[in-house]
CSV table of all heavy atoms in Angstrom, one decimal:
chain,number,residue,atom,x,y,z
A,1,MET,N,0.8,-1.2,0.0
A,1,MET,CA,0.0,0.0,0.0
A,1,MET,C,0.8,1.3,0.0
A,1,MET,O,0.6,2.2,-0.7
A,1,MET,CB,-0.9,0.0,1.2
A,1,MET,CG,-1.8,1.2,1.3
A,1,MET,SD,-2.7,1.3,2.8
A,1,MET,CE,-3.4,2.9,2.8
A,2,PHE,N,1.9,1.2,0.8
A,2,PHE,CA,2.8,2.3,1.0
A,2,PHE,C,3.5,2.6,-0.4
A,2,PHE,O,3.7,3.7,-0.8
A,2,PHE,CB,3.9,2.0,2.0
A,2,PHE,CG,4.2,3.3,2.9
A,2,PHE,CD1,3.2,4.1,3.4
A,2,PHE,CD2,5.6,3.6,3.0
A,2,PHE,CE1,3.6,5.2,4.1
A,2,PHE,CE2,5.9,4.7,3.8
A,2,PHE,CZ,4.9,5.5,4.3
A,3,LYS,N,3.9,1.5,-1.1
A,3,LYS,CA,4.6,1.5,-2.3
A,3,LYS,C,3.8,2.3,-3.4
A,3,LYS,O,4.4,3.0,-4.2
A,3,LYS,CB,4.8,0.1,-2.8
A,3,LYS,CG,6.2,-0.2,-3.2
A,3,LYS,CD,6.4,-1.6,-3.6
A,3,LYS,CE,7.9,-1.8,-4.0
A,3,LYS,NZ,8.2,-3.2,-4.3
A,4,ASN,N,2.5,2.2,-3.3
A,4,ASN,CA,1.7,2.9,-4.3
A,4,ASN,C,1.8,4.4,-4.2
A,4,ASN,O,1.5,5.1,-5.2
A,4,ASN,CB,0.2,2.5,-4.2
A,4,ASN,CG,0.0,1.0,-4.5
A,4,ASN,OD1,0.8,0.4,-5.2
A,4,ASN,ND2,-1.0,0.3,-4.0
A,5,ILE,N,2.1,4.8,-3.0
A,5,ILE,CA,2.2,6.3,-2.8
A,5,ILE,C,3.6,6.7,-3.2
A,5,ILE,O,3.8,7.8,-3.7
A,5,ILE,CB,1.9,6.6,-1.3
A,5,ILE,CG1,0.5,6.2,-1.0
A,5,ILE,CG2,2.1,8.1,-1.1
A,5,ILE,CD1,0.2,6.1,0.5
A,6,ILE,N,4.6,5.9,-2.8
A,6,ILE,CA,6.0,6.3,-3.0
A,6,ILE,C,6.4,6.3,-4.5
A,6,ILE,O,7.1,7.2,-5.0
A,6,ILE,CB,6.9,5.4,-2.2
A,6,ILE,CG1,6.7,5.8,-0.7
A,6,ILE,CG2,8.4,5.6,-2.6
A,6,ILE,CD1,7.4,4.8,0.2
A,7,ALA,N,5.9,5.3,-5.3
A,7,ALA,CA,6.3,5.2,-6.6
A,7,ALA,C,6.2,6.5,-7.5
A,7,ALA,O,7.1,6.9,-8.2
A,7,ALA,CB,5.7,4.0,-7.3
A,8,PRO,N,5.0,7.1,-7.5
A,8,PRO,CA,4.8,8.3,-8.3
A,8,PRO,C,5.8,9.4,-7.8
A,8,PRO,O,6.2,10.2,-8.7
A,8,PRO,CB,3.4,8.8,-8.0
A,8,PRO,CG,2.7,7.5,-7.5
A,8,PRO,CD,3.7,6.7,-6.8
A,9,VAL,N,6.1,9.5,-6.6
A,9,VAL,CA,7.0,10.5,-6.0
A,9,VAL,C,8.4,10.3,-6.6
A,9,VAL,O,9.1,11.2,-6.9
A,9,VAL,CB,7.0,10.5,-4.5
A,9,VAL,CG1,8.0,11.5,-4.0
A,9,VAL,CG2,5.6,10.9,-4.0
A,10,GLN,N,8.8,9.0,-6.5
A,10,GLN,CA,10.1,8.7,-7.1
A,10,GLN,C,10.2,9.0,-8.6
A,10,GLN,O,11.2,9.5,-9.0
A,10,GLN,CB,10.4,7.2,-6.9
A,10,GLN,CG,10.6,6.8,-5.4
A,10,GLN,CD,11.2,5.5,-5.2
A,10,GLN,OE1,11.1,4.6,-6.0
A,10,GLN,NE2,11.6,5.3,-4.0
A,11,ALA,N,9.1,8.7,-9.3
A,11,ALA,CA,9.1,9.0,-10.8
A,11,ALA,C,9.2,10.5,-11.0
A,11,ALA,O,9.9,10.9,-11.9
A,11,ALA,CB,7.9,8.3,-11.4
A,12,TRP,N,8.5,11.2,-10.2
A,12,TRP,CA,8.5,12.6,-10.3
A,12,TRP,C,9.9,13.2,-10.0
A,12,TRP,O,10.4,14.1,-10.7
A,12,TRP,CB,7.5,13.2,-9.3
A,12,TRP,CG,7.4,14.7,-9.3
A,12,TRP,CD1,6.9,15.5,-10.2
A,12,TRP,CD2,7.8,15.5,-8.1
A,12,TRP,NE1,7.0,16.8,-9.8
A,12,TRP,CE2,7.6,16.9,-8.5
A,12,TRP,CE3,8.4,15.2,-6.9
A,12,TRP,CZ2,7.9,17.9,-7.7
A,12,TRP,CZ3,8.7,16.3,-6.1
A,12,TRP,CH2,8.4,17.6,-6.5
A,13,LEU,N,10.6,12.7,-9.0
A,13,LEU,CA,11.9,13.2,-8.6
A,13,LEU,C,12.9,12.8,-9.8
A,13,LEU,O,13.7,13.7,-10.1
A,13,LEU,CB,12.4,12.5,-7.3
A,13,LEU,CG,11.9,13.2,-6.0
A,13,LEU,CD1,12.2,12.2,-4.8
A,13,LEU,CD2,12.5,14.5,-5.8
A,14,LEU,N,12.8,11.6,-10.3
A,14,LEU,CA,13.6,11.2,-11.3
A,14,LEU,C,13.5,12.0,-12.6
A,14,LEU,O,14.4,12.4,-13.3
A,14,LEU,CB,13.4,9.7,-11.7
A,14,LEU,CG,14.2,8.7,-10.9
A,14,LEU,CD1,13.9,7.3,-11.4
A,14,LEU,CD2,15.7,9.0,-10.9
A,15,SER,N,12.2,12.4,-12.9
A,15,SER,CA,12.0,13.2,-14.1
A,15,SER,C,12.6,14.6,-13.9
A,15,SER,O,12.9,15.3,-14.9
A,15,SER,CB,10.5,13.3,-14.3
A,15,SER,OG,9.9,14.2,-13.3
A,16,LYS,N,12.8,15.0,-12.7
A,16,LYS,CA,13.5,16.3,-12.5
A,16,LYS,C,15.0,16.1,-12.3
A,16,LYS,O,15.7,17.1,-12.1
A,16,LYS,CB,13.0,16.9,-11.2
A,16,LYS,CG,11.5,17.3,-11.3
A,16,LYS,CD,11.1,18.3,-10.3
A,16,LYS,CE,11.5,17.9,-8.8
A,16,LYS,NZ,11.4,19.0,-7.9
A,17,GLY,N,15.5,14.8,-12.4
A,17,GLY,CA,16.9,14.6,-12.3
A,17,GLY,C,17.4,14.6,-10.9
A,17,GLY,O,18.5,15.0,-10.6
A,18,GLN,N,16.5,14.2,-10.0
A,18,GLN,CA,16.9,14.2,-8.5
A,18,GLN,C,16.9,12.8,-8.0
A,18,GLN,O,16.1,12.0,-8.4
A,18,GLN,CB,16.0,15.1,-7.7
A,18,GLN,CG,16.2,16.5,-7.9
A,18,GLN,CD,15.3,17.4,-7.1
A,18,GLN,OE1,14.3,17.8,-7.6
A,18,GLN,NE2,15.6,17.6,-5.8
A,19,CYS,N,17.8,12.5,-7.1
A,19,CYS,CA,17.9,11.2,-6.4
A,19,CYS,C,16.6,10.9,-5.6
A,19,CYS,O,16.1,11.8,-4.9
A,19,CYS,CB,19.1,11.2,-5.5
A,19,CYS,SG,19.2,9.6,-4.5
A,20,VAL,N,16.1,9.7,-5.7
A,20,VAL,CA,14.8,9.4,-5.0
A,20,VAL,C,15.1,9.2,-3.6
A,20,VAL,O,14.1,9.1,-2.8
A,20,VAL,CB,14.1,8.2,-5.7
A,20,VAL,CG1,13.8,8.4,-7.1
A,20,VAL,CG2,14.9,6.9,-5.5
A,21,GLY,N,16.3,9.0,-3.2
A,21,GLY,CA,16.6,8.7,-1.8
A,21,GLY,C,16.9,9.9,-1.0
A,21,GLY,O,16.4,10.1,0.1
A,22,CYS,N,17.8,10.8,-1.5
A,22,CYS,CA,18.2,12.0,-0.7
A,22,CYS,C,17.9,13.3,-1.4
A,22,CYS,O,18.0,14.3,-0.8
A,22,CYS,CB,19.7,11.8,-0.5
A,22,CYS,SG,20.7,12.0,-2.0
A,23,GLY,N,17.3,13.2,-2.7
A,23,GLY,CA,16.9,14.4,-3.3
A,23,GLY,C,18.0,15.3,-3.9
A,23,GLY,O,17.7,16.3,-4.5
A,24,ALA,N,19.2,14.8,-3.9
A,24,ALA,CA,20.3,15.5,-4.5
A,24,ALA,C,20.2,15.5,-6.0
A,24,ALA,O,19.8,14.5,-6.5
A,24,ALA,CB,21.7,14.9,-4.0
A,25,PRO,N,20.7,16.6,-6.6
A,25,PRO,CA,20.7,16.6,-8.1
A,25,PRO,C,21.6,15.5,-8.7
A,25,PRO,O,22.8,15.5,-8.3
A,25,PRO,CB,21.1,18.0,-8.5
A,25,PRO,CG,21.5,18.7,-7.3
A,25,PRO,CD,21.2,17.8,-6.1
A,26,LEU,N,21.1,14.7,-9.6
A,26,LEU,CA,22.0,13.6,-10.1
A,26,LEU,C,23.1,14.2,-11.0
A,26,LEU,O,24.1,13.5,-11.3
A,26,LEU,CB,21.1,12.6,-10.9
A,26,LEU,CG,20.2,11.8,-10.0
A,26,LEU,CD1,19.3,10.9,-10.8
A,26,LEU,CD2,20.9,11.1,-9.0
A,27,SER,N,22.9,15.4,-11.5
A,27,SER,CA,24.0,16.0,-12.3
A,27,SER,C,25.2,16.3,-11.4
A,27,SER,O,26.3,16.4,-11.9
A,27,SER,CB,23.5,17.4,-12.8
A,27,SER,OG,23.0,18.2,-11.8
A,28,LYS,N,25.1,16.2,-10.1
A,28,LYS,CA,26.3,16.4,-9.2
A,28,LYS,C,26.8,15.1,-8.8
A,28,LYS,O,27.8,15.0,-8.0
A,28,LYS,CB,25.8,17.2,-8.0
A,28,LYS,CG,25.5,18.6,-8.3
A,28,LYS,CD,25.9,19.6,-7.2
A,28,LYS,CE,25.8,21.0,-7.6
A,28,LYS,NZ,24.4,21.5,-7.5
A,29,GLY,N,26.2,14.0,-9.2
A,29,GLY,CA,26.7,12.6,-8.9
A,29,GLY,C,28.0,12.3,-9.6
A,29,GLY,O,28.4,13.0,-10.6
A,30,LYS,N,28.5,11.1,-9.3
A,30,LYS,CA,29.7,10.6,-10.0
A,30,LYS,C,29.3,9.9,-11.3
A,30,LYS,O,28.4,9.0,-11.2
A,30,LYS,CB,30.4,9.6,-9.1
A,30,LYS,CG,31.8,9.2,-9.5
A,30,LYS,CD,32.5,8.5,-8.3
A,30,LYS,CE,33.7,7.8,-8.8
A,30,LYS,NZ,33.4,6.4,-9.4
A,31,VAL,N,29.9,10.3,-12.4
A,31,VAL,CA,29.5,9.8,-13.7
A,31,VAL,C,30.4,8.8,-14.2
A,31,VAL,O,31.7,9.0,-14.1
A,31,VAL,CB,29.3,10.9,-14.7
A,31,VAL,CG1,28.9,10.4,-16.1
A,31,VAL,CG2,28.2,12.0,-14.2
A,32,GLU,N,29.9,7.7,-14.7
A,32,GLU,CA,30.8,6.7,-15.3
A,32,GLU,C,30.2,6.4,-16.7
A,32,GLU,O,29.0,6.1,-16.8
A,32,GLU,CB,30.8,5.4,-14.5
A,32,GLU,CG,31.8,5.4,-13.3
A,32,GLU,CD,31.8,4.1,-12.5
A,32,GLU,OE1,31.3,3.1,-13.0
A,32,GLU,OE2,32.1,4.2,-11.3
A,33,LYS,N,31.0,6.5,-17.7
A,33,LYS,CA,30.6,6.1,-19.0
A,33,LYS,C,30.2,4.6,-19.0
A,33,LYS,O,31.0,3.8,-18.5
A,33,LYS,CB,31.7,6.3,-20.1
A,33,LYS,CG,31.6,7.7,-20.7
A,33,LYS,CD,30.7,7.6,-21.9
A,33,LYS,CE,30.4,9.0,-22.4
A,33,LYS,NZ,29.0,9.2,-22.9
A,34,LYS,N,29.1,4.3,-19.5
A,34,LYS,CA,28.6,3.0,-19.5
A,34,LYS,C,28.7,2.3,-20.9
A,34,LYS,O,28.8,1.1,-21.1
A,34,LYS,CB,27.2,2.9,-19.0
A,34,LYS,CG,27.0,1.7,-18.0
A,34,LYS,CD,25.6,1.6,-17.6
A,34,LYS,CE,25.1,0.2,-17.3
A,34,LYS,NZ,25.9,-0.9,-17.8
A,35,GLY,N,28.5,3.2,-21.9
A,35,GLY,CA,28.5,2.6,-23.3
A,35,GLY,C,27.7,3.6,-24.1
A,35,GLY,O,27.6,4.7,-23.8
A,36,GLU,N,27.4,3.1,-25.3
A,36,GLU,CA,26.7,4.0,-26.3
A,36,GLU,C,25.4,4.5,-25.7
A,36,GLU,O,24.5,3.7,-25.4
A,36,GLU,CB,26.4,3.2,-27.6
A,36,GLU,CG,26.0,4.0,-28.7
A,36,GLU,CD,27.1,5.0,-29.1
A,36,GLU,OE1,28.3,4.7,-29.0
A,36,GLU,OE2,26.7,6.1,-29.6
A,37,GLY,N,25.3,5.8,-25.5
A,37,GLY,CA,24.0,6.4,-25.2
A,37,GLY,C,23.6,6.3,-23.7
A,37,GLY,O,22.5,6.7,-23.4
A,38,SER,N,24.5,5.8,-22.9
A,38,SER,CA,24.1,5.7,-21.5
A,38,SER,C,25.2,6.0,-20.5
A,38,SER,O,26.4,5.7,-20.8
A,38,SER,CB,23.4,4.4,-21.1
A,38,SER,OG,24.3,3.3,-21.2
A,39,GLU,N,24.9,6.6,-19.4
A,39,GLU,CA,25.9,6.8,-18.4
A,39,GLU,C,25.4,6.3,-17.0
A,39,GLU,O,24.2,6.3,-16.8
A,39,GLU,CB,26.1,8.3,-18.2
A,39,GLU,CG,27.0,8.9,-19.3
A,39,GLU,CD,27.1,10.4,-19.3
A,39,GLU,OE1,26.4,11.0,-18.5
A,39,GLU,OE2,27.9,10.9,-20.1
A,40,LYS,N,26.3,5.8,-16.2
A,40,LYS,CA,26.0,5.4,-14.9
A,40,LYS,C,26.3,6.5,-13.9
A,40,LYS,O,27.4,7.2,-14.0
A,40,LYS,CB,26.9,4.2,-14.6
A,40,LYS,CG,26.5,3.5,-13.3
A,40,LYS,CD,27.1,2.1,-13.3
A,40,LYS,CE,28.0,1.8,-12.1
A,40,LYS,NZ,28.6,0.5,-12.1
A,41,ILE,N,25.3,6.9,-13.1
A,41,ILE,CA,25.4,8.0,-12.1
A,41,ILE,C,25.4,7.4,-10.8
A,41,ILE,O,24.4,6.7,-10.4
A,41,ILE,CB,24.3,9.0,-12.3
A,41,ILE,CG1,24.0,9.3,-13.7
A,41,ILE,CG2,24.6,10.2,-11.4
A,41,ILE,CD1,24.9,10.2,-14.4
A,42,ILE,N,26.4,7.7,-10.0
A,42,ILE,CA,26.4,7.2,-8.6
A,42,ILE,C,26.2,8.4,-7.7
A,42,ILE,O,27.0,9.3,-7.6
A,42,ILE,CB,27.7,6.5,-8.2
A,42,ILE,CG1,27.9,5.4,-9.2
A,42,ILE,CG2,27.7,6.0,-6.8
A,42,ILE,CD1,29.4,4.8,-9.3
A,43,CYS,N,25.1,8.4,-7.0
A,43,CYS,CA,24.7,9.5,-6.1
A,43,CYS,C,25.6,9.4,-4.8
A,43,CYS,O,26.1,8.4,-4.5
A,43,CYS,CB,23.3,9.4,-5.7
A,43,CYS,SG,22.7,10.8,-4.7
A,44,LYS,N,25.7,10.5,-4.2
A,44,LYS,CA,26.5,10.6,-2.9
A,44,LYS,C,26.0,9.7,-1.9
A,44,LYS,O,26.7,9.2,-1.0
A,44,LYS,CB,26.6,12.0,-2.4
A,44,LYS,CG,25.3,12.6,-2.0
A,44,LYS,CD,25.4,14.0,-1.5
A,44,LYS,CE,24.0,14.5,-1.1
A,44,LYS,NZ,24.0,15.9,-0.5
A,45,CYS,N,24.7,9.3,-2.0
A,45,CYS,CA,24.1,8.4,-0.9
A,45,CYS,C,24.3,6.9,-1.4
A,45,CYS,O,23.9,6.1,-0.6
A,45,CYS,CB,22.7,8.7,-0.7
A,45,CYS,SG,21.6,8.3,-2.1
A,46,GLY,N,24.9,6.7,-2.5
A,46,GLY,CA,25.2,5.3,-3.0
A,46,GLY,C,24.2,4.7,-3.9
A,46,GLY,O,24.4,3.6,-4.4
A,47,ARG,N,23.1,5.4,-4.2
A,47,ARG,CA,22.1,4.9,-5.1
A,47,ARG,C,22.7,5.0,-6.5
A,47,ARG,O,23.4,6.0,-6.8
A,47,ARG,CB,20.8,5.6,-5.0
A,47,ARG,CG,20.0,5.1,-3.8
A,47,ARG,CD,18.7,5.9,-3.6
A,47,ARG,NE,17.9,5.3,-2.5
A,47,ARG,CZ,18.1,5.6,-1.2
A,47,ARG,NH1,19.2,6.4,-0.9
A,47,ARG,NH2,17.4,5.1,-0.3
A,48,ILE,N,22.3,4.1,-7.4
A,48,ILE,CA,22.9,4.1,-8.7
A,48,ILE,C,21.8,4.2,-9.7
A,48,ILE,O,20.8,3.6,-9.6
A,48,ILE,CB,23.7,2.8,-9.0
A,48,ILE,CG1,24.9,2.7,-7.9
A,48,ILE,CG2,24.3,2.7,-10.4
A,48,ILE,CD1,25.6,1.4,-7.9
A,49,TYR,N,22.1,5.1,-10.7
A,49,TYR,CA,21.1,5.4,-11.7
A,49,TYR,C,21.8,5.2,-13.1
A,49,TYR,O,22.9,5.3,-13.3
A,49,TYR,CB,20.6,6.9,-11.6
A,49,TYR,CG,19.9,7.1,-10.3
A,49,TYR,CD1,20.7,7.4,-9.2
A,49,TYR,CD2,18.6,6.9,-10.1
A,49,TYR,CE1,20.1,7.6,-7.9
A,49,TYR,CE2,17.9,7.0,-8.9
A,49,TYR,CZ,18.7,7.4,-7.8
A,49,TYR,OH,18.1,7.6,-6.6
A,50,ILE,N,20.9,5.1,-14.1
A,50,ILE,CA,21.3,5.1,-15.5
A,50,ILE,C,20.8,6.3,-16.2
A,50,ILE,O,19.5,6.5,-16.1
A,50,ILE,CB,20.9,3.8,-16.2
A,50,ILE,CG1,21.4,2.5,-15.5
A,50,ILE,CG2,21.3,3.8,-17.6
A,50,ILE,CD1,22.8,2.3,-15.4
A,51,LEU,N,21.6,7.1,-16.9
A,51,LEU,CA,21.1,8.2,-17.6
A,51,LEU,C,21.2,7.8,-19.1
A,51,LEU,O,22.2,7.4,-19.6
A,51,LEU,CB,22.0,9.4,-17.4
A,51,LEU,CG,21.8,10.6,-18.3
A,51,LEU,CD1,20.4,11.2,-18.1
A,51,LEU,CD2,22.8,11.7,-18.1
A,52,ASP,N,20.0,8.0,-19.7
A,52,ASP,CA,19.9,7.8,-21.2
A,52,ASP,C,20.3,9.2,-21.7
A,52,ASP,O,19.6,10.2,-21.6
A,52,ASP,CB,18.5,7.5,-21.6
A,52,ASP,CG,18.3,7.2,-23.1
A,52,ASP,OD1,19.0,8.0,-23.9
A,52,ASP,OD2,17.6,6.4,-23.4
A,53,THR,N,21.5,9.3,-22.3
A,53,THR,CA,22.0,10.6,-22.8
A,53,THR,C,21.3,11.1,-23.9
A,53,THR,O,21.4,12.3,-24.2
A,53,THR,CB,23.5,10.5,-23.1
A,53,THR,OG1,23.7,9.4,-24.0
A,53,THR,CG2,24.4,10.1,-21.8
A,54,LYS,N,20.6,10.3,-24.7
A,54,LYS,CA,19.9,10.8,-25.8
A,54,LYS,C,18.5,11.4,-25.4
A,54,LYS,O,18.1,12.5,-25.7
A,54,LYS,CB,19.6,9.8,-26.9
A,54,LYS,CG,20.9,9.4,-27.6
A,54,LYS,CD,20.7,8.6,-28.9
A,54,LYS,CE,22.0,8.2,-29.5
A,54,LYS,NZ,22.4,6.8,-29.1
A,55,ALA,N,17.8,10.6,-24.5
A,55,ALA,CA,16.5,11.1,-24.1
A,55,ALA,C,16.6,12.0,-22.8
A,55,ALA,O,15.7,12.6,-22.5
A,55,ALA,CB,15.7,9.9,-23.7
A,56,LYS,N,17.8,12.1,-22.3
A,56,LYS,CA,18.1,12.8,-21.1
A,56,LYS,C,17.1,12.4,-19.9
A,56,LYS,O,16.5,13.2,-19.2
A,56,LYS,CB,17.9,14.4,-21.3
A,56,LYS,CG,18.9,14.9,-22.2
A,56,LYS,CD,20.1,15.5,-21.5
A,56,LYS,CE,21.2,16.0,-22.4
A,56,LYS,NZ,22.4,15.1,-22.5
A,57,LYS,N,17.0,11.1,-19.8
A,57,LYS,CA,16.1,10.5,-18.8
A,57,LYS,C,16.9,9.7,-17.8
A,57,LYS,O,17.8,8.9,-18.3
A,57,LYS,CB,15.0,9.8,-19.4
A,57,LYS,CG,13.9,10.6,-19.8
A,57,LYS,CD,12.7,9.8,-20.3
A,57,LYS,CE,11.5,10.7,-20.7
A,57,LYS,NZ,10.7,10.1,-21.7
A,58,TYR,N,16.6,9.8,-16.6
A,58,TYR,CA,17.2,9.0,-15.5
A,58,TYR,C,16.3,7.8,-15.2
A,58,TYR,O,15.1,8.0,-15.2
A,58,TYR,CB,17.5,9.8,-14.3
A,58,TYR,CG,18.5,10.8,-14.4
A,58,TYR,CD1,18.1,12.2,-14.7
A,58,TYR,CD2,19.9,10.6,-14.3
A,58,TYR,CE1,19.1,13.2,-14.8
A,58,TYR,CE2,20.8,11.5,-14.4
A,58,TYR,CZ,20.4,12.8,-14.6
A,58,TYR,OH,21.4,13.8,-14.8
A,59,ARG,N,16.9,6.7,-14.8
A,59,ARG,CA,16.1,5.6,-14.2
A,59,ARG,C,17.0,4.9,-13.2
A,59,ARG,O,18.2,5.0,-13.2
A,59,ARG,CB,15.6,4.7,-15.3
A,59,ARG,CG,16.7,4.0,-16.0
A,59,ARG,CD,16.1,3.0,-17.0
A,59,ARG,NE,17.2,2.4,-17.9
A,59,ARG,CZ,18.0,1.4,-17.5
A,59,ARG,NH1,17.9,0.9,-16.3
A,59,ARG,NH2,18.9,1.0,-18.3
A,60,ARG,N,16.4,4.2,-12.3
A,60,ARG,CA,17.2,3.4,-11.3
A,60,ARG,C,17.9,2.3,-12.1
A,60,ARG,O,17.4,1.7,-13.0
A,60,ARG,CB,16.2,2.8,-10.3
A,60,ARG,CG,15.6,3.7,-9.4
A,60,ARG,CD,16.5,4.5,-8.4
A,60,ARG,NE,17.2,3.6,-7.5
A,60,ARG,CZ,16.7,3.2,-6.3
A,60,ARG,NH1,15.6,3.6,-5.9
A,60,ARG,NH2,17.5,2.4,-5.6
A,61,ALA,N,19.1,2.1,-11.7
A,61,ALA,CA,19.9,1.0,-12.3
A,61,ALA,C,19.3,-0.4,-11.9
A,61,ALA,O,18.9,-0.5,-10.8
A,61,ALA,CB,21.3,1.0,-11.9
A,62,LEU,N,19.3,-1.3,-12.8
A,62,LEU,CA,18.9,-2.6,-12.5
A,62,LEU,C,20.0,-3.3,-11.8
A,62,LEU,O,21.1,-3.0,-11.8
A,62,LEU,CB,18.5,-3.4,-13.8
A,62,LEU,CG,17.5,-2.7,-14.7
A,62,LEU,CD1,17.4,-3.5,-16.0
A,62,LEU,CD2,16.1,-2.7,-14.0
A,63,PHE,N,19.5,-4.4,-11.1
A,63,PHE,CA,20.5,-5.1,-10.2
A,63,PHE,C,21.7,-5.6,-11.0
A,63,PHE,O,22.8,-5.4,-10.6
A,63,PHE,CB,19.8,-6.3,-9.6
A,63,PHE,CG,20.6,-7.1,-8.7
A,63,PHE,CD1,20.9,-6.6,-7.4
A,63,PHE,CD2,21.1,-8.4,-9.0
A,63,PHE,CE1,21.7,-7.3,-6.5
A,63,PHE,CE2,21.9,-9.1,-8.1
A,63,PHE,CZ,22.2,-8.5,-6.9
A,64,GLU,N,21.5,-6.1,-12.2
A,64,GLU,CA,22.7,-6.6,-13.0
A,64,GLU,C,23.5,-5.5,-13.6
A,64,GLU,O,24.6,-5.8,-14.1
A,64,GLU,CB,22.1,-7.6,-14.1
A,64,GLU,CG,21.2,-6.9,-15.1
A,64,GLU,CD,19.7,-7.1,-14.8
A,64,GLU,OE1,19.4,-7.2,-13.6
A,64,GLU,OE2,19.0,-7.1,-15.7
A,65,GLU,N,23.1,-4.3,-13.5
A,65,GLU,CA,23.9,-3.1,-14.1
A,65,GLU,C,24.8,-2.5,-13.0
A,65,GLU,O,25.7,-1.8,-13.3
A,65,GLU,CB,22.9,-2.0,-14.6
A,65,GLU,CG,22.2,-2.5,-15.8
A,65,GLU,CD,21.1,-1.5,-16.2
A,65,GLU,OE1,20.5,-0.9,-15.3
A,65,GLU,OE2,20.9,-1.2,-17.4
A,66,VAL,N,24.5,-2.9,-11.7
A,66,VAL,CA,25.3,-2.2,-10.6
A,66,VAL,C,26.7,-2.8,-10.6
A,66,VAL,O,27.0,-3.9,-10.9
A,66,VAL,CB,24.5,-2.5,-9.3
A,66,VAL,CG1,25.4,-2.0,-8.2
A,66,VAL,CG2,23.2,-1.7,-9.4
B,1,LIG,ZN1,21.0,10.2,-3.3
């Protein structure tokens, strides 16, 4: 039940390029080139995101990408 409330908030934060955990801007995170069209962003709080450099969209990294 709690998850249903949190998910839209996380999506909203991500759409603004902010960490869903600590709210820090992901543009200030540590960037690692991942390959064609994507970058791995490591937030200061340790959460890992994938940036689609073409669409300029962030998403949470999948387990196998970490
Ligand atoms: Zn964070």
Side-chain angles (χ1 to χ4, degrees):
M1 179 185 169
F2 218 51
K3 229 175 178 176
N4 295 337
I5 301 164
I6 289 171
V9 175
Q10 292 192 341
W12 176 71
L13 280 168
L14 272 183
S15 73
K16 296 200 307 169
Q18 285 179 264
C19 176
V20 302
C22 67
L26 293 177
S27 55
K28 294 217 169 77
K30 190 167 166 278
V31 178
E32 277 176 27
K33 267 276 173 214
K34 221 186 150 343
E36 193 62 34
S38 68
E39 284 174 352
K40 187 161 126 182
I41 317 284
I42 303 161
C43 182
K44 61 179 180 180
C45 71
R47 285 177 175 78
I48 299 169
Y49 300 87
I50 304 294
L51 171 65
D52 183 322
T53 54
K54 290 197 183 93
K56 292 269 178 255
K57 274 188 180 149
Y58 293 96
R59 63 177 174 79
R60 293 293 299 272
L62 303 172
F63 183 72
E64 61 265 29
E65 293 171 323
V66 173

